[in-house]
Amino acid sequence: MTFKYGIDRLNLDIVNGIANGSIQAELCQEAIDKINTSRQRVDKMAASDKAVYGINTGFGPLCDTQISPEDTNLLQKNLLITHAVGVGEPIEKAISKLMLITKVHALSQGFSGIRLEVVERMLAFIKLDLIPVVPEQGSVGASGDLAPLSHLFLPLLGEGEFWQGEEGKNREIVPAAPLLREHGLDVMDLQAKEGLALINGTQFILSHGITALTKMRYLLDLADMTGAMSIEGMQGSESPFRDELHQTRAFKGNLVVAARMREFFKDSQNMADHEECDRVQDPYSLRCIPQVHGASRNAYYHLEELVEIEMNSVTDNPIVISSEEAISGGSFHGQPLAMVLDYASIAASELGNISDRRCYLLLEGIHGLPRLLTSAGGLNSGMMIPQYATAALVTENKSLCFPPSADSVPTSMGQEDHVSMGSISGRQLNQILGNLEKILAIELMYAAQALEFRRPNKCSDIIELNHQIIRAKVAKLEEDRLLKPDIDAMIRLVKSQAFTVSLNVDDSK
């Protein structure tokens, strides 16, 4: 398919496809016409005596200061330069690229008054892999992501920096000006409204949300599979996953997780081997997987819904609606995403919390498993200590769950007196998901070890397949050895999404 900026509708798969090159994207004539019409409207307003915010006035607390036509271009250049005050480490190159893609889509809808050649330059950056370097800190998430977006567009002026080289050892940060010359790209002069259109918006928050959703979608599925493997290792009960039970409390996430768990146990010889055991019920970390994982999945659905709306929205200010009117409002305010990102942070943290509890259960020496998952305990500590790491990661995630959206610090001399802090929410969610990858990696290592004590019983085909993926990188623990390489190998498997976790379960209802 070819995606049409400003016309078609983005979703998670499409925006990621554009970013990785599997989906082509273009400016069609309809979008070009909308951009040009919007620009003509801005030119008319800029030439008039009527004060229109952001077009012929100053910004923020200087909104009542009218700017002469001859100073308009300098005003727009100064806007980018003065707002480029981000600090900290750079965000990932992939997130900067998502910022460019989503900004092009927003500007191409014809409400921002930007010139066609500016949008075309942004598309050239994407095509040539000239991705600007953006610091991770400095946005309060209202008036949009001012500092990050300023850094994103400094290269238009010949300022700022680009990423160069592929991910890994060869990647470096280089000044923008020499690379622009190398590619025959001239430095641009911004005109009325353009600087404001570029740096007003929520693309920093949004792109962190897109990145988080992409990770979380896989990790939700992986958490289900990991929990199923742990239950197989402990020979837990299948009863808590029966559809008849969950139809009586039919939350969408719960129903999906319960159905997935049933699929993970399908035709398992190991589960059938203990059907007549006298165990009454399992601990909550096993029995309540549909309720806990399901609640986290519901949070994912909510975040996905709002991120998709934002991907297709215009979030700069003012919004140009005619040759006579540009509405100054607050579409740049990040609160709609900030709050749901904080909700998703709690949801992701809880997936790690319950995973750590299952790790602890696997070590306890119950349900026929040896203590610490070693048959040579005493001289050997077995798998005791990796759970210390999951405990530490769980607590770190809990500390990251403080909701930045609950805070606000006034800026801009009180003109911007309520801000979302959504940029921090997006960054924290991705930190939590990074820690969750490590927690699930350790649980998978434990669950794989537990299955060794159930042989010759076989599990379902999909559990056995994933067990083989683990064993290709991490051997069964027979006696104490350095486990750090094993943990690192497990984390690499999780990060590379090597596990088979997708099932034929409908989650669209």
Side-chain angles (χ1 to χ4, degrees), residues 441-484:
I442 291 173
E443 185 189 352
L444 280 165
M445 185 176 71
Y446 278 12
Q449 180 76 359
L451 289 186
E452 303 293 352
F453 298 101
R454 301 303 180 189
R455 300 309 189 196
N457 289 351
K458 293 291 185 181
C459 303
S460 65
D461 289 344
I462 191 167
I463 295 295
E464 290 293 341
L465 171 61
N466 285 303
H467 187 263
Q468 291 169 15
I469 291 171
I470 294 170
R471 284 291 169 259
K473 300 293 183 181
V474 176
K476 175 186 176 183
L477 185 68
E478 301 284 2
E479 57 184 25
D480 281 358
R481 65 170 184 259
L482 187 63
L483 289 177
K484 177 67 163 58

Side-chain angles (χ1 to χ4, degrees), residues 231-239 265 268-279 282 367 454 457:
I231 289 173
E232 287 272 21
M234 284 183 272
Q235 288 193 325
S237 173
E238 291 183 78
S239 296
F265 297 135
S268 170
Q269 176 194 358
N270 184 55
M271 294 296 281
D273 186 58
H274 65 100
E275 285 181 345
E276 305 303 322
C277 72
D278 58 1
R279 196 185 315 167
D282 293 323
H367 309 324
R454 301 303 180 189
N457 289 351

